[in-house]
Amino acid sequence: MLLSETFLIGSYLIVRDDVYFFSTTSLNRLKELIQMRVSGLLFLGLSCVVVSSLQLAPASGFSISDLEASNKELMAAASRLSPSLLQNAIQSPQAFSSPDQALTIQVSSPTSLYVGGDGDVKQYNASTGTFLGNFGTSIFSSPDLTYGGPDNHFFIIDGFSSNVLEYDQAGVFVRVLTGPANGLELNQPIGVTFSPYNGNLFVSDIGNASNGVFGNIREINPTTGDLINTLTNGPKGFQPLQVAFANNSLYVSDLTSNSVLRYNPSTNVFDTFASSSELTSPGGLAFGGSSLNNDLFVVGSASTILRYDGATGAFKSIFATSTLQNTTLTDLAFGPDGNLYVTDTRNSSILKFDGITGAFEGQFVTQQDGNLTNPTGILFAPSLVPEPVIGGSAFGFGVLGLLAIKARRRRQVGSSK
């Protein structure tokens, strides 16, 4: 069986409407199995093993029947759960999603780092920071981007035309989702994300204050492009920047009030969730995982990342500080390794911070890596760029592949947009 839509969150494997939980024992057993080298491509499903037409040459006495048995062993150890129990755990639809065509992805590089800025969106190896190439075409400036929707496509803001553009997973242009021709004109779109609760696309528009046009947030149907709702009842002079979902609510960094606002879809009301004297220029925001108490992390100034209680919004600490000169931090995301990655617009680089301690670990991507220019939006999402595997072995993106990633992601703490 091919996996058409899969999420791996912690020890939970979500396949369409089925949810499975794997114990630590099961995951450790899997790690042992993965260490047994098998040459060729293996596509593993939930209850069967689909082997490619290539001639396989199992090594170390590890046969196909052993693979099938191990697959059954893992599934027997898994507990089936209701998807509703994990609804709040899915912070964004792009969380390790794998459509059918992602079966070609090799476990050595399950995700890529996508960075928006001036020029085309740049794609990098999520583990090494190696430049993989430009993603998409005709993008003059991209302050933000996200991944998801019914076709698991990329939705990228083009700051030049003030539109949202749709691209498939290979970076091929699909359509202009917004614009006057579509009856959905934007002023200065800044942030974009998917709701994990209803699947709609949310776009923050900072507006044009000099012309008396204040900001708003548009809720858009990603399939039809229809406008569902316009969220305008924020504070006077509302200037929304970045947006993120968690706890059944939409969180927004607002430039006017220098705070993080929370929007409750059921009541259609904004309130101030997080505000402190340290928050002088709010930017990107993301929620950490359980190892970080599901706290909220926000770009608080040109050089700092602030940490707030994820449940109450109470200020906790200055989590991280860039030691580089003249930094301008804009957006952030937790990577597959659990560390925190932040765009530095002024230095045209991506900075890396320890995901637990906040210690600054230097520049992960520099301006010289792919001619990165004024980066703003940052996203970790599935990669379709094939990369070599040491020793020539590769695994398909089924149960074995997904849980192999889990073994490498024991410090995974969450996702950004």
Side-chain angles (χ1 to χ4, degrees):
M1 177 175 78
L2 299 182
L3 304 183
S4 61
E5 187 171 358
T6 302
F7 297 91
L8 180 67
I9 302 177
S11 297
Y12 296 96
L13 178 66
I14 305 174
V15 182
R16 290 191 177 181
D17 294 329
D18 294 324
V19 182
Y20 299 86
F21 172 79
F22 288 89
S23 66
T24 301
T25 300
S26 297
L27 294 174
N28 288 337
R29 169 60 177 155
L30 181 66
K31 289 169 64 177
E32 296 174 359
L33 297 173
I34 294 172
Q35 292 172 356
M36 301 180 183
R37 176 178 175 178
V38 179
S39 300
L41 296 176
L42 301 178
F43 296 153
L44 302 186
L46 281 176
S47 59
C48 63
V49 178
V50 181
V51 184
S52 71
S53 59
L54 299 177
Q55 182 66 37
L56 299 177
S60 304
F62 195 63
S63 67
I64 298 302
S65 60
D66 292 327
L67 285 171
E68 185 173 8
S70 66
N71 192 48
K72 292 179 179 179
E73 174 187 337
L74 286 170
M75 297 316 300
S79 302
R80 192 164 183 160
L81 304 174
S82 167
S84 61
L85 294 178
L86 298 178
Q87 184 71 17
N88 290 336
I90 308 175
Q91 299 300 331
S92 60
Q94 65 264 27
F96 315 119
S97 178
S98 171
D100 286 341
Q101 52 265 56
L103 286 169
T104 60
I105 299 175
Q106 296 178 356
V107 171
S108 62
S109 181
T111 61
S112 281
L113 169 63
Y114 298 84
V115 182
D118 291 346
D120 293 325
V121 170
K122 309 294 182 180
Q123 183 177 359
Y124 300 89
N125 181 291
S127 300
T128 65
T130 301
F131 178 60
L132 301 179
N134 293 332
F135 183 86
T137 57
S138 303
I139 305 172
F140 296 93
S141 174
S142 175
D144 201 16
L145 66 164
T146 192
Y147 170 85
D151 298 315
N152 285 319
H153 282 179
F154 289 83
F155 291 80
I156 303 173
I157 292 177
D158 177 16
F160 183 81
S161 65
S162 293
N163 285 322
V164 177
L165 312 181
E166 180 179 354
Y167 289 80
D168 68 14
Q169 295 169 347
V172 177
F173 175 74
V174 176
R175 61 173 171 166
V176 178
L177 184 67
T178 61
N182 301 335
L184 186 55
E185 187 171 3
L186 304 175
N187 286 288
Q188 294 187 60
I190 298 294
V192 59
T193 191
F194 273 100
S195 166
Y197 310 112
N198 62 16
N200 288 333
L201 188 70
F202 284 73
V203 181
S204 61
D205 188 339
I206 198 172
N208 190 338
S210 62
N211 293 333
V213 179
F214 296 121
N216 56 55
I217 298 174
R218 314 292 181 90
E219 180 180 359
I220 304 170
N221 184 311
T223 302
T224 65
D226 292 337
L227 176 65
I228 303 300
N229 191 17
T230 299
L231 286 56
T232 58
N233 60 343
K236 184 177 180 180
F238 186 37
Q239 292 183 294
L241 296 176
Q242 296 296 332
V243 286
F245 273 95
N247 308 317
N248 292 303
S249 297
L250 175 67
Y251 295 80
V252 185
S253 55
D254 176 41
L255 186 61
T256 298
S257 62
N258 282 330
S259 63
V260 175
L261 307 179
R262 176 177 55 187
Y263 175 79
N264 187 326
S266 62
T267 62
N268 197 38
V269 172
F270 282 94
D271 67 353
T272 299
F273 178 74
S275 180
S276 64
S277 59
E278 295 81 5
L279 189 57
T280 58
S281 182
L285 63 165
F287 282 83
S290 57
S291 61
L292 292 170
N293 298 315
N294 301 308
D295 283 342
L296 172 65
F297 295 80
V298 185
V299 173
S301 69
S303 61
T304 61
I305 306 296
L306 308 181
R307 181 175 183 173
Y308 295 87
D309 187 287
T312 67
F315 175 71
K316 281 191 170 182
S317 67
I318 297 177
F319 177 74
T321 301
S322 170
T323 59
L324 298 180
Q325 291 184 345
N326 301 320
T327 58
T328 300
L329 307 184
T330 49
D331 199 8
L332 75 171
F334 285 100
D337 58 0
N339 290 317
L340 186 63
Y341 296 82
V342 186
T343 53
D344 180 355
T345 301
R346 180 169 295 186
N347 290 308
S348 290
S349 61
I350 305 299
L351 308 186
K352 180 179 178 181
F353 299 87
D354 185 279
I356 300 299
T357 67
F360 179 52
E361 297 188 356
Q363 292 179 311
F364 181 68
V365 173
T366 67
Q367 184 175 15
Q368 288 70 38
D369 299 326
N371 190 29
L372 182 63
T373 307
N374 299 326
T376 48
I378 183 171
L379 172 70
F380 287 94
S383 169
L384 289 183
V385 177
E387 297 187 60
V389 178
I390 297 175
S393 297
F395 292 95
F397 212 52
V399 173
L400 186 59
L402 280 169
L403 293 179
I405 296 169
K406 162 61 186 176
R408 298 170 53 201
R409 290 180 175 171
R410 56 188 179 273
R411 293 179 62 209
Q412 172 68 34
V413 294
S415 56
S416 65
K417 317 179 195 164

